[in-house]
Amino acid sequence: MDLSLLTAISPIDGRYRSKTEPLAEYFSEYALIRYRVRVEIEYFIALCELPLPQLQGINHSLFDQLRDIYKKFSPADAQRVKDIESITNHDVKAVEYFIKEQLDAMGGFENYKEFIHFGLTSQDINNTSVPLSIKEALEQVYYPMVEELIEQLHDYAEQWKNIPMLAKTHGQPASPTRLGKEVMVYVYRLEEQLRGLKETPITAKFGGATGNYNAHHVAYPQYDWREFGNSFVSEKLGLEREQYTTQISNYDWLGAIFDAMRRINTIVIDLDRDFWMYISMDYFKQKIKKGEVGSSAMPHKVNPIDYENSEGNLGIANAILQFLAAKLPVSRLQRDLTDSTVLRNVGVPMGHAVIAFQSTLKGLRKLILNEEKLQEDLDNTWAVVAEAIQTILRREAYPNPYETLKALTRTNEKLTGEKIKDFIETLEVSEEVKEELRVITPSTYTGI
């Protein structure tokens, strides 16, 4: 079968392609090849700018033309690299040969083209290309989507800031809260973790065959290649160079990136489950779209499927992120090849996360607040004001206030507002304190 949305094995590239398509610019085979070409070209330009003695004759006005090789890189160019790879059986070497072909077509580079990939090993290209693709995918796709989710939640937090709601701890009625504050909890958590993710360094390995610049140093011992590498990785690629490595990246900071993403995903899973529960408690209705079916058998149903879709996709994303963070920093001696195939999957968890964030947003934007149900639950649960009463009684040095309220409330009989008021009248406290207690209701006892 030809590859299509219907025949793709992964739902990321099949069923959910419309949601994940932006990530193809960063994690497809085409994208990886383009990033490799970009790093090779920028490295060659950096050698010219150093300059190496043999590259002093290159006109710097040609640099824009050189950069066009990756800026105008097309799927046809990527296919040419794959055709070369079918002969070399080496993907990075195929990129080198492709660039040399481009230089031959441009003309004037006959004496310079051997400085393409000069002194490098494949991982100097892979371990800059992949972190660069992750960095730009985070900035262009992932961060904006998380920020959109935060913005939607913040809007709801403001909109519902004065809506009292019965809290539930251990699934049981607890001290009342406000709906807006509970939503604000997620705003705060996501903002904190997003800030931490953005502050996590995205690092790259760039140091030759085993990390020591052996080839560079033996050819040109007069240059400080470590400083050159630091400047190149920082100024040309916007990454941080790992100072001591084997042939491959240490992947420690990349593991930290994946762990930070996993924490964000976990917070959204928590959010999904809470809103799923609020809908099941009838605190929210859902907007109905004409033509949609909630159940193949039960016509009345409007299922909270968006939150379920999100939760499922985030679970898959977190499983892969956890594996990546644990596996990548481990390599036999100066390297083994296990990281190579694993790195090709770094876009997969981001794909599942992107699907999930869009589903959560879709679910949130379907919500219709059922304020009457929230108020009904508060009115039916007067026992929750017991904490307030016993705390004021503690302040007044009333004897055994906790035990007194426990005896009143810890029964299987429904405790009504009238019973609470009758109880207050029996207390041997001043009229001022009684008045203070009388105004406490489940709807007003919501804290700050």
Side-chain angles (χ1 to χ4, degrees), residues 78-117:
Q79 184 57 56
R80 176 56 189 156
V81 175
K82 296 300 291 184
D83 292 342
I84 298 171
E85 183 187 343
S86 68
I87 299 170
T88 63
N89 196 31
H90 196 289
D91 48 5
V92 176
K93 200 66 178 177
V95 169
E96 177 188 341
Y97 289 164
F98 168 79
I99 295 173
K100 287 178 177 178
E101 283 185 354
Q102 297 296 303
L103 296 184
D104 287 339
M106 290 168 60
F109 287 93
E110 292 79 7
N111 298 325
Y112 309 117
K113 65 182 183 180
E114 286 308 317
F115 286 91
I116 299 295
H117 203 70

Side-chain angles (χ1 to χ4, degrees), residues 212-275:
N212 309 326
Y213 288 110
N214 301 43
H216 294 78
H217 182 69
V218 75
Y220 296 101
Q222 67 271 35
Y223 293 103
D224 185 342
W225 289 107
R226 178 180 291 178
E227 180 55 34
F228 169 85
N230 290 342
S231 297
F232 169 70
V233 171
S234 174
E235 296 172 12
K236 298 289 188 179
L237 306 180
L239 305 170
E240 293 187 24
R241 179 178 168 269
E242 298 167 16
Q243 297 301 301
Y244 295 93
T245 69
T246 60
Q247 186 176 89
I248 64 174
S249 169
N250 301 319
Y251 295 118
D252 298 325
W253 282 112
L254 193 56
I257 291 289
F258 295 147
D259 284 338
M261 293 173 65
R262 189 156 55 92
R263 287 194 296 274
I264 289 174
N265 292 348
T266 298
I267 292 168
V268 179
I269 289 174
D270 197 20
L271 182 152
D272 288 333
R273 292 179 179 177
D274 274 4
F275 276 95

